[in-house]
Amino acid sequence: MPAESSSIARPSLIVADQWKDYQLLDAGHGMKHERWGPYTLVRPDPQIIWPRSGGATKWEKWDGFYHRADTGGGKWEYRRELPDHWKISYGALTFKIHPTSFKHTGLFPEQAVNWDWFSAKIRAAKAAGRDVNVLNLFGYTGAATCAAAKAGASVTHIDAAEGMVKWCKENAALSGLTDAPIRYLTDDCLKFVRREIKRGKKYDAIIMDPPTYGRGSTGEMWKLEDHLWELLGECKQVLTDRPLFFLINAYTARLSPTVVANLLSALMHDAGGTITAGEVGLPIQRDGKTLPCGIYGRWEA
């Protein structure tokens, strides 16, 4: 008898409001003012098109300010000497923070809501006596990899950038996961999955955070709209007969949560389960607004 089709819940917003070492202090006029542990940074964000509360246009207190250049890119201005990198923690996880030339810090704090979600699913499966093998594609600096490993999963971490894979190893060490069953691989995600199909390798869960545009480890061009469904189809073939979850994150404004839900519905139509989709966001401390920071789609058994 065929499995029932997956049910789809209405898109919703989930907010990462359990942080202690991170705060989104304020946002307005295209900029966000954040506390990363002992340091405060001001960075641009294209979604922030509303004015600051109270009408002020500049923040007076900050340690680092990223100035966007009219010709693209930008640079940091520092009011005091900051270390090259420092640490912040989320529960039992510890991450290296390093302001990069592209305005990023190496961590997306809004993703904590997804770490909590899949960590609970992994722990429940482990408590029921099941081993869990997770594939993390486009794994970046490995926050999700560390969260899954800390919950008890074996994790294969894939990213095309060697520097990001190295950063993941550092985060794992900081989180006490040096000896955890994590495979660190610098590779093109699609090519890797195709090789895993040939090898007969199977995974209980998949996490992916595909970019809008990108290049593989040997220069292959990636475009989300053209290649995501192809990748998803290959990923379906490396899932076990009893998959636990499938998580897609995206930061492009070109996709809506409903599109991601529809993709997962088409992909997992014969597996039953439940699909939820929506936005992830951060609470703005000054005025109680929420900054939307991307979209997610989750399939779970």
Side-chain angles (χ1 to χ4, degrees):
M1 184 175 179
E4 296 181 1
S5 60
S6 303
S7 62
I8 304 177
R10 184 172 297 175
S12 62
L13 169 68
I14 49 178
V15 180
D17 56 5
Q18 299 301 304
W19 278 95
K20 293 181 173 59
D21 282 1
Y22 170 87
Q23 283 182 301
L24 177 52
L25 302 170
D26 199 0
H29 291 289
M31 306 295 286
K32 55 187 177 183
H33 187 195
E34 306 163 287
R35 179 180 66 83
W36 295 86
Y39 305 108
T40 59
L41 305 177
V42 177
R43 301 186 292 160
D45 189 305
Q47 299 244 69
I48 304 172
I49 61 174
W50 58 88
R52 278 189 66 200
S53 298
T57 59
K58 294 182 179 179
W59 287 286
E60 298 302 325
K61 296 181 180 180
W62 48 264
D63 297 308
F65 195 112
Y66 189 87
H67 297 277
R68 178 74 75 186
D70 293 337
T71 55
K75 64 178 183 179
W76 286 97
E77 174 191 357
Y78 296 108
R79 279 189 169 162
R80 59 169 168 151
E81 186 174 354
L82 268 61
D84 176 73
H85 60 272
W86 62 94
K87 298 180 290 185
I88 70 170
S89 295
Y90 183 80
L93 301 169
T94 300
F95 305 111
K96 168 188 163 183
I97 302 302
H98 167 66
T100 71
S101 59
F102 298 101
K103 85 175 180 177
H104 297 301
T105 64
L107 188 69
F108 294 96
E110 68 276 1
Q111 287 300 320
V113 291
N114 282 321
W115 309 334
D116 291 341
W117 171 74
F118 65 66
S119 293
K121 298 196 71 63
I122 292 168
R123 286 193 294 267
K126 294 287 290 184
R130 179 178 177 180
D131 290 331
V132 179
N133 195 8
V134 174
L135 175 61
N136 185 15
L137 299 172
F138 310 98
Y140 193 49
T141 61
T145 290
C146 292
K150 183 67 77 170
S154 299
V155 187
T156 298
H157 175 98
I158 310 291
D159 197 278
E162 185 177 0
M164 297 300 102
V165 176
K166 179 183 177 182
W167 199 330
C168 176
K169 290 181 181 179
E170 293 178 83
N171 282 333
L174 291 172
S175 296
L177 296 165
T178 301
D179 297 324
I182 302 173
R183 285 200 298 164
Y184 305 93
L185 299 172
T186 303
D187 208 340
D188 176 85
C189 289
L190 180 57
K191 289 183 177 180
F192 172 80
V193 171
R194 286 174 173 165
R195 290 197 300 272
E196 292 291 79
I197 292 170
K198 292 180 180 179
R199 289 188 282 253
K201 180 71 174 180
K202 298 289 184 178
Y203 296 88
D204 302 291
I206 294 176
I207 300 166
M208 66 167 63
D209 196 343
T212 305
Y213 296 100
R215 290 193 178 274
S217 58
T218 56
E220 303 87 351
M221 187 64 189
W222 162 274
K223 187 177 180 182
L224 188 72
E225 296 95 328
D226 294 342
H227 298 109
L228 181 55
W229 176 250
E230 179 185 16
L231 175 61
L232 292 175
E234 304 285 19
C235 285
K236 178 73 177 295
Q237 298 183 60
V238 299
L239 285 173
T240 61
D241 293 335
R242 292 192 305 133
L244 193 61
F245 64 85
F246 201 125
L247 170 64
I248 302 173
N249 293 304
Y251 286 92
T252 175
R254 299 179 184 186
L255 291 188
S256 77
T258 301
V259 169
V260 180
N262 290 344
L263 285 167
L264 285 171
S265 178
L267 186 73
M268 306 298 291
H269 65 90
D270 58 348
T274 302
I275 294 167
T276 54
E279 294 180 288
V280 291
L282 291 165
I284 302 171
Q285 300 299 314
R286 178 181 173 94
D287 57 17
K289 292 187 182 74
T290 298
L291 175 64
C293 301
I295 63 174
Y296 71 92
R298 301 168 173 173
W299 174 90
E300 57 187 304

